[in-house]
Amino acid sequence: MHGFSYKNGSLYCEDVDLAPLAAEHGTPLYVYSAGTILDHYTRLDAALGSIDHEVAYAVKANSNLSVLRLLANHGAGFDIVSGGELFRVIKAGGDPAHCTFAGVGKTREEIVYALEQGIYSFNVESEEELHYLNEVAGELGMIAPAAVRVNPNVDAKTHKYISTGKSENKFGVDFGAIADLYERASKDLKHIKLRGLQMHIGSQLTSIAPFIEAVEKVIPLVTELKARHGIEFWSIGGGIGIIYPTALASGTADWWENQPEDERPLTIERYGKELVPRLKDLGLKILLEPGRYIVGNAGVLITKCLYEKKGSAKTFKIVDAGMNDLIRPALYEGHHEIVPLVQPASDELIKVDVVGPICESGDFFCQDRPLPEFQPGDYIALMSAGAYGFAMASNYNSRPLPEEILVEGATATIVRKRQTLEDLIEGEL
Ligand SMILES: *Cc1c(COP(=O)(O)O)cnc(C)c1O
């Protein structure tokens, strides 16, 4: 589900009318639905409910402290990719003992910080990194808990920039090299405790097949590693895709879940139903690292139309949000539904490009897309912007970062203030 729908012609987030909110707080404005975040977290948790498991939210998707606090309060663990993310998790009240640390380029400072905080596992991406982790842990007189990331060489069938589980990607260690690596490490690396195995094949996967293929391929390997080295967990990664809802206007945000089973995109219930039977007898704790699934459909970016520019070939709607606020369309052809905050009177659609003010031709939110009519001064929402939205925002073109608001029922709370011009030059000489 998601918490955005029209009521009496106005787009609401839960019980908050978004147009007056945008007028009060200014735009561009990120708005998140706490109810949606918790619904997604709870449903995923329930889908794996019959086996020993933990949901470790991938912090990089949306690292706002209030989002992290919400999830920490409901028992989530966290998958982090930097020392900065660990710092955020701790500030938000998360428990380092429920954190896994991924990423191909961990620095010494980050390793020391994570060791001192007592994280659950370093998810290591190369033999070289495992040796370095052993060395640093040795200097501190500590034992580093670790899992190696296996690259199962499975095609996730997603955009090439967000595919991670093929041999040509920079991530993980080749499937065929893992068993020997664990053998050598358990003999030679005295400051490593091999605690698990990790994988993550890509992001925004909307079919179950690649997940099944990867899990079935790796099951014999984890079984062997458990027997020989006593590993206790297997992280099967994140990557569960979200449906970018096209039927929002109908008010039935759950429409796709009512589609016939084989026609509809991946649902979380299907994910659980297919994977749980395959995982339940392994005797391992199963970790999940979802980012986009938890927060993607829980957020929108509201922007105001500034100008309409009619060119000879196209009509451009120029809005006050740009690729610095939401880079997904420019970076990997990410799709965002676009809906006016005030439902238009007519059903007529007009083909337009919605573009931002940044001096880059890649600065667009859609091209040649039929959209309902809206005019300069009107607000529109870029839907499904809760994941990899604000988290990837920058100050490019010296634009202050937008404000973020978290809605819970009828309450809207500022969870990050809009940057000021002074903030822009903070720290510069
Ligand atoms: C990015 C990432 C995730 C989360 O991916 P989503 O597609 O947002 O679920 C999980 N695990 C690792 C190692 C990642 O790098």
Side-chain angles (χ1 to χ4, degrees), residues 56-62 79-81 100-103 123 125 149 162 164 171 198-205 211 235-241 288-295 387-388:
Y57 167 66
V59 173
K60 73 177 191 280
N62 184 325
D79 188 61
I80 58 171
V81 292
T100 49
F101 190 172
N123 290 346
E125 304 242 9
R149 175 169 179 172
I162 49 177
T164 58
F171 299 102
Q198 193 262 351
M199 70 182 194
H200 172 69
I201 58 173
S203 199
Q204 183 53 15
L205 275 66
F211 288 115
S235 174
I236 60 170
I240 304 158
L288 305 164
E289 306 164 359
R292 188 188 314 273
Y293 168 74
I294 303 282
V295 291
Y388 308 105

Side-chain angles (χ1 to χ4, degrees), residues 302-352:
I302 300 174
T303 178
K304 185 159 81 173
C305 182
L306 300 174
Y307 301 100
E308 180 180 75
K309 177 174 168 177
K310 284 199 168 61
S312 55
K314 285 179 176 241
T315 298
F316 296 99
K317 302 274 189 183
I318 301 168
V319 298
D320 69 358
M323 65 189 284
N324 70 298
D325 303 301
L326 178 64
I327 202 176
R328 295 187 63 261
L331 186 64
Y332 37 61
E333 302 170 315
H335 179 85
H336 294 274
E337 284 300 308
I338 297 178
V339 298
L341 293 197
V342 177
Q343 205 167 14
S346 121
D347 293 342
E348 197 194 345
L349 301 179
I350 298 152
K351 221 181 240 186
V352 295

Side-chain angles (χ1 to χ4, degrees), residues 38-170:
L38 288 182
D39 173 70
H40 291 170
Y41 170 74
T42 316
R43 275 171 46 202
L44 180 57
D45 201 39
L48 278 285
S50 61
I51 57 176
D52 183 15
H53 75 282
E54 174 154 334
V55 177
Y57 167 66
V59 173
K60 73 177 191 280
N62 184 325
S63 52
N64 185 285
L65 286 179
S66 295
V67 170
L68 301 181
R69 194 175 302 119
L70 188 68
L71 288 164
N73 287 345
H74 287 79
F78 296 94
D79 188 61
I80 58 171
V81 292
S82 70
E85 287 189 352
L86 179 56
F87 177 74
R88 282 181 173 276
V89 167
I90 293 168
K91 286 286 177 195
D95 181 358
H98 290 265
C99 284
T100 49
F101 190 172
V104 297
K106 302 177 190 76
T107 65
R108 182 188 170 87
E109 291 72 22
E110 289 176 319
I111 291 171
V112 169
Y113 178 44
L115 277 170
E116 285 170 346
Q117 297 300 322
I119 65 164
Y120 179 66
S121 177
F122 289 85
N123 290 346
V124 169
E125 304 242 9
S126 65
E127 180 154 9
E128 293 79 358
E129 184 192 334
L130 195 62
H131 281 261
Y132 190 57
L133 180 61
N134 180 64
E135 188 185 311
V136 176
E139 286 168 24
L140 299 183
M142 297 177 83
I143 305 285
V148 176
R149 175 169 179 172
V150 57
N151 185 327
N153 194 24
V154 164
D155 187 353
K157 302 200 172 59
T158 183
H159 192 277
K160 64 179 194 293
Y161 285 7
I162 49 177
S163 175
T164 58
K166 290 278 284 171
S167 300
E168 56 265 36
N169 299 128
K170 71 178 174 186

